[in-house]
Amino acid sequence: MHSAHGLEPGAIGREEAAFLKARRYSRKVRVVKLALPLVGAALAIGFFGYSYLLSPSSVSIGVEGTAVRDGKLVMANPKVTGYTKENLPYTLTAMRAIQDLSQTGMIQLEEIDAKFPVDDNNWARVLARTGTYDDTGNTLDITSPVTFKTTDGMTANLKSAFINIEAGEMSTAEPVDILQDGSRVTADTFKVLDKGKVFVFEKRVRVMIEPRKRPDGTPRDEAKAGN
Amino acid sequence: QSEPRVTGLQLSGDEPIQIESDRLEVRDAEGIAIFTGNVNVVQGPTLLKSGKMTVYYATDGTAEPSAAGPDASRIERLEVDENVYVKTETQVATADKASFDMKTEVLVMTGKEVVLSDDGNVLVGCKLTVQMATGHALLDGCGQSEGAKGRVKMLLQPKSQSQ
């Protein structure tokens, strides 16, 4: 693993102070164990300091391994944790994160696994293959099929999704298929607004509502849908 | 007043319902799902069409957002607007508005002209109240306001026997 040696000693000192201040500032942030060669750690801390300055809501980023290849910082198992405006924690992990050193605010992510609050007693878990996390807007633009699972039992399959983590909003201009105990909604576009309180489906909306389950939970035989 | 029989008009919680529309907005915390644009509701033989339909459903206390809205049993009431068309196996009813209470299973259709046609017989009034469970219906005439009961217009096809 080779890495750039651009940082003089002063830069490392200043970055070190930013990391410690952040840790003191938000005791809730779990310190991520960094078993890295010194330069790799310096790059990670530099990245952490940079992103902390941009979104002071105590974002912390941990990385297990870094490498620089043709002007891009490649990080293994990055983990971003932070808090939304309502002080609800969110976590964003991926197998790999690739950050173009000329545009450090944008991070390409692969094999995304994110968990973020829909509201205070409902969480969404997002699984997707590829996406771009934009540190400035605190948004996640997922360009590959994505599945959403919420703790209240909703499963949503989307072809793509643009998530504004901070505002708890999401939108997609591609078909969606959503299942929730006993009813299913499909449509060509879908938006989640107002921190998960309002769902808007547009274009060829279809809702299938299953019959009332009998007390033992199974729908009556003859009422069961054919397909 | 006249008491036509309305048979087969059955919107119940224990049969699958399929709803189609151009747009759907679910405001789960308030327990409301608003369908707008070419609304089409099918349950068994019953078909309902309108420009807009609002479904009121019980949120089970905890305000967990659910994009897919209620299962059939949690639907409390449907409010249907913008030229309502209801068709059952044997009858067709049209009105400006309709509201259907899933618990009491009473459908009330109102409008300048509520038309109920059944195999050629046509009844016109201003308010049609249907007890879905029994099929018993009550059609009120228009012009209640002048005190006198409004008259129901009835067109009976000669060939058909009266119900």
Side-chain angles (χ1 to χ4, degrees):
Chain A
M1 183 177 74
H2 61 87
S3 46
H5 301 283
L7 290 174
E8 347 78 13
I12 296 181
R14 250 197 338 277
E15 295 308 336
E16 192 68 47
F19 179 75
L20 292 175
K21 180 167 95 40
R23 199 162 54 183
R24 269 199 310 281
Y25 171 76
S26 84
R27 277 172 311 284
K28 292 195 284 285
V29 171
R30 272 202 324 277
V31 173
V32 173
K33 188 163 64 62
L34 293 177
L36 288 174
L38 185 61
V39 173
L43 282 175
I45 290 170
F47 169 75
F48 166 74
Y50 176 80
S51 59
Y52 173 74
L53 296 177
L54 279 173
S55 55
S57 63
S58 70
V59 170
S60 97
I61 291 110
V63 174
E64 269 165 26
T66 62
V68 178
R69 255 184 243 110
D70 46 59
K72 288 197 171 54
L73 174 66
V74 180
M75 291 170 267
N77 296 324
K79 177 168 177 162
V80 178
T81 53
Y83 289 82
T84 60
K85 275 207 280 305
E86 289 78 29
N87 220 359
L88 295 171
Y90 64 82
T91 338
L92 171 62
T93 63
M95 290 285 284
R96 254 168 30 120
I98 301 149
Q99 183 187 27
D100 190 326
L101 290 178
S102 58
Q103 263 189 325
T104 51
M106 304 285 282
I107 307 156
Q108 302 295 337
L109 296 166
E110 288 166 6
E111 300 308 331
I112 296 160
D113 185 343
K115 181 166 179 264
F116 61 91
V118 178
D119 66 31
D120 38 26
N121 45 35
N122 187 25
W123 297 84
R125 177 122 188 260
V126 181
L127 300 168
R129 250 178 349 75
T130 59
T132 309
Y133 174 69
D134 175 352
D135 203 311
T136 46
N138 202 354
T139 60
L140 183 56
D141 184 8
I142 298 177
T143 45
S144 65
V146 53
T147 56
F148 270 82
K149 282 198 169 51
T150 60
T151 41
D152 68 354
M154 178 186 85
T155 307
N157 291 307
L158 288 73
K159 296 269 186 311
S160 66
F162 181 79
I163 304 169
N164 181 330
I165 296 177
E166 194 60 40
E169 291 184 352
M170 196 281 302
S171 69
T172 177
E174 291 182 279
V176 296
D177 185 339
I178 296 181
L179 266 168
Q180 168 108 29
D181 53 40
S183 47
R184 181 172 178 210
V185 183
T186 57
D188 284 356
T189 72
F190 174 51
K191 280 184 286 195
V192 175
L193 305 170
D194 198 359
K195 296 195 185 45
K197 292 200 179 52
V198 177
F199 299 87
V200 176
F201 300 87
E202 282 170 318
K203 293 207 198 84
R204 290 192 318 130
V205 180
R206 172 175 293 186
V207 174
M208 276 76 70
I209 301 178
E210 279 315 307
R212 191 189 341 241
K213 292 193 181 57
R214 285 180 305 160
D216 55 23
T218 54
R220 269 204 324 243
D221 293 343
E222 73 281 7
K224 221 182 289 178
N227 49 23
Chain B
Q1 264 193 348
S2 111
E3 295 186 12
R5 289 207 49 70
V6 173
T7 53
L9 202 55
Q10 180 60 15
L11 268 182
S12 73
D14 45 24
E15 257 191 76
I17 300 175
Q18 176 170 302
I19 307 170
E20 286 174 347
S21 69
D22 295 341
R23 187 177 191 275
L24 164 61
E25 181 170 320
V26 179
R27 309 182 74 85
D28 196 69
E30 301 151 56
I32 299 177
I34 306 157
F35 294 87
T36 45
N38 303 316
V39 181
N40 224 301
V41 182
V42 176
Q43 181 177 51
T46 307
L47 163 67
L48 183 142
K49 283 186 169 179
S50 75
K52 180 181 174 193
M53 178 171 83
T54 308
V55 178
Y56 296 85
Y57 58 92
T59 53
D60 42 22
T62 53
E64 283 141 9
S66 86
D71 64 50
S73 62
R74 286 168 55 206
I75 297 180
E76 288 173 343
R77 188 162 51 88
L78 307 180
E79 293 291 346
V80 192
D81 302 286
E82 291 167 26
N83 32 47
V84 180
Y85 168 91
V86 177
K87 179 180 164 311
T88 70
E89 269 151 306
T90 54
Q91 289 160 320
V92 171
T94 58
D96 296 340
K97 280 189 184 323
S99 81
F100 176 67
D101 184 317
M102 290 292 255
K103 298 250 171 340
T104 57
E105 288 194 295
V106 169
L107 167 70
V108 177
M109 297 179 79
T110 54
K112 279 195 301 305
E113 230 192 29
V114 176
V115 179
L116 174 64
S117 47
D118 169 10
D119 184 20
N121 300 328
V122 176
L123 296 163
V124 180
C126 272
K127 185 178 174 194
L128 175 66
T129 310
V130 183
Q131 308 289 344
M132 304 288 254
T134 61
H136 174 71
L138 189 66
L139 182 64
D140 289 309
C142 306
Q144 306 300 72
S145 52
E146 299 99 15
K149 270 262 176 277
R151 281 214 303 280
V152 169
K153 281 178 280 177
M154 191 182 293
L155 168 69
L156 289 177
Q157 289 303 354
K159 63 171 173 38
S160 73
Q161 308 74 18
S162 62
Q163 261 81 15

